[in-house]
Amino acid sequence: MSNLKNFLFTSESVSEGHPDKVSDRISDMVVDSYLAGDPFSRVACETLTTTNKVVLAGEVRGPEIKEEDLIQKVRECIKDIGYDQEGFTWREATKIESHLHSQSVDIAMGVDSKDNKDEGAGDQGIMFGYACNETEELMPAPIHYSHKILRLMAEDRKAGILKNIEPDSKSQVTFEYTDGKPTKVKSVVISSQHSADIDQAKVRELLTPYMIKSIPETFLKDFDEKEFYVNPTGNFVIGGPDGDCGLTGRKIIVDTYGGAAPHGGGAFSGKDPTKVDRSAAYAARYIAKNVVASKISEKCLIQLAYAIGVSKPLSIYVDLFDNDLEKNKFVSEKISQNFDLSPRGIREMLGLNKPIYEKTSAYGHFGRMPEADGSFSWEKTDKKGVFSK
């Protein structure tokens, strides 16, 4: 986030029905299917979605899963999202192909633990984690409220409360920051696919309550209605994979901090937890969130760097944004003493070898509530005491 004190900042979200998110959901379903059979499965699955077609490709190592069973699960994903349209449906009209094959032995050799060698990182790369005290969830306000708008819309659409609104939607929220703090909402954009039975005035009427329900009243005082944009391009009847091709891993900023913090570049969905693109980004968020939850700092950025086949991170970078070198050193030392950031250490610390990933595929991987099945374990603040001086 900018070092400026007074500025506007915008983040966007996309719904579970966005073509890229349909792809993310299917790829994470594949990860969960393999982890459910063997918690040490290896999966790297990419999904393409387009008009009445889904294509899966990638590498797997794990239990035998019949192709027809996997294809049936793809249909269940599409049905749950809500697609039963002429150009994209969960029914037989949508053709599904699987091109998954065995993982490269070269990659396996570098990653697997053997004899006295600990398990190495599944790839080289840099991963970032971030937290700030702008919301209770310790997430930046613009991305948090962008997600919330679409999540509430989806819940009501699936419950039959929100009618004539289809699965493909986007939101965008611009906040005005004063003295570095979010003070009010400057503009909101919601674009949503809708049935041909309603006009744009009706779309606006249906979606306005979700903006109001999602954003606290304190941020909406003096909000100018002219700054609320609903389907600014007009009609949005053809949507989802029929309107735009979807691919796994194209919404990495939506998945993380909405641009308020750096991103290492790696996507999360479709990857098992030996892939540090995913697991180390979760670990970095876990550390950053516990630092901010301890109240030692108002925001925290963590960077971790790995080399393929090497177990320990090559570097750990900490930024508390306050130029307090002693505090920064204190936090860095506490991280080294209390967090095992090898791939195995991260997986054991956060319990990542479980089928918990499908639900991460929409509305952000961060800022969510930890669940009893181990989902979103990286959102716990059980280590905040580590950073108390």
Side-chain angles (χ1 to χ4, degrees), residues 6-300:
N6 303 314
F7 55 92
L8 298 177
F9 195 85
T10 305
S11 294
E12 68 153 350
S13 181
V14 298
S15 71
E16 63 203 77
H18 185 283
D20 295 332
K21 284 285 144 204
V22 176
S23 296
D24 284 347
R25 167 80 176 265
I26 292 167
S27 291
D28 275 334
M29 175 277 292
V30 173
V31 172
D32 283 356
S33 297
Y34 277 92
L35 290 177
D38 176 357
F40 297 101
S41 294
R42 299 288 165 77
V43 182
C45 174
E46 311 295 338
T47 302
L48 176 147
T49 54
T50 187
T51 303
N52 283 337
K53 184 169 281 253
V54 177
V55 180
L56 279 65
E59 303 78 48
V60 295
R61 192 173 89 201
E64 285 293 322
I65 298 179
K66 290 182 183 170
E67 189 172 299
E68 57 264 35
D69 292 342
L70 211 54
I71 286 171
Q72 181 54 35
K73 287 187 176 186
V74 172
R75 295 196 188 282
E76 288 165 12
C77 288
I78 297 168
K79 186 176 185 181
D80 182 65
I81 291 166
Y83 278 116
D84 190 12
Q85 299 166 1
E86 189 179 340
F88 196 71
T89 174
W90 58 273
R91 300 176 197 272
E92 295 297 320
T94 293
K95 304 303 175 198
I96 302 169
E97 299 174 15
S98 175
H99 300 280
L100 296 169
H101 59 86
S102 295
Q103 185 189 49
S104 153
V105 292
D106 290 343
I107 292 175
M109 194 186 305
V111 174
D112 290 348
S113 54
K114 189 178 179 185
D115 302 325
N116 292 323
K117 175 186 172 292
D118 196 7
E119 175 187 304
D123 202 352
Q124 71 171 47
I126 55 172
M127 296 85 208
F128 289 93
Y130 181 71
C132 62
N133 64 0
E134 292 178 13
T135 60
E136 281 182 23
E137 294 77 8
L138 304 184
M139 285 290 286
I143 189 67
H144 176 72
Y145 296 115
S146 294
H147 284 323
K148 191 172 181 184
I149 290 167
L150 298 182
R151 198 175 68 246
L152 295 183
M153 283 170 54
E155 287 169 3
D156 282 1
R157 175 177 58 78
K158 290 179 172 184
I161 297 164
L162 179 59
K163 300 182 189 304
N164 290 307
I165 295 298
E166 302 292 345
D168 189 0
S169 303
K170 294 174 111 174
S171 63
Q172 187 171 286
V173 179
T174 300
F175 266 83
E176 187 173 305
Y177 281 71
T178 305
D179 201 23
K181 300 285 184 188
T183 50
K184 67 178 183 178
V185 169
K186 188 72 174 168
S187 66
V188 177
V189 184
I190 307 177
S191 296
S192 186
Q193 184 187 15
H194 57 88
S195 75
D197 302 332
I198 59 172
D199 61 17
Q200 295 310 308
K202 184 63 177 176
V203 174
R204 186 182 182 93
E205 181 189 320
L206 288 171
L207 300 187
T208 299
Y210 294 93
M211 190 248 311
I212 294 166
K213 273 193 282 190
S214 300
I215 300 170
E217 200 178 338
T218 51
F219 291 134
L220 288 175
K221 62 178 185 285
D222 306 322
F223 181 69
D224 183 352
E225 280 293 313
K226 289 187 214 153
E227 295 292 328
F228 181 38
Y229 303 91
V230 177
N231 284 5
T233 57
N235 249 26
F236 188 0
V237 174
I238 299 169
D242 185 27
D244 194 8
C245 181
L247 291 170
T248 302
R250 284 206 300 201
K251 287 290 176 280
I252 58 175
I253 302 304
V254 169
D255 284 344
T256 53
Y257 307 102
H263 193 295
F268 302 154
S269 290
K271 297 175 181 176
D272 74 75
T274 65
K275 314 291 191 292
V276 283
D277 275 345
R278 180 169 223 160
S279 56
Y282 290 172
R285 162 65 178 172
Y286 180 54
I287 295 167
K289 188 172 184 184
N290 277 275
V291 169
V292 175
S294 76
K295 296 192 163 45
I296 195 172
S297 180
E298 293 187 352
K299 51 186 178 176
C300 175

Side-chain angles (χ1 to χ4, degrees), residues 341-372:
L341 295 173
S342 66
R344 185 204 301 273
I346 291 170
R347 287 205 327 279
E348 291 176 353
M349 173 174 68
L350 298 176
L352 297 181
N353 285 101
K354 297 173 184 172
I356 55 174
Y357 298 103
E358 195 175 335
K359 64 183 80 172
T360 68
S361 63
Y363 314 116
H365 292 245
F366 308 128
R368 310 283 288 273
M369 286 292 291
E371 296 182 17

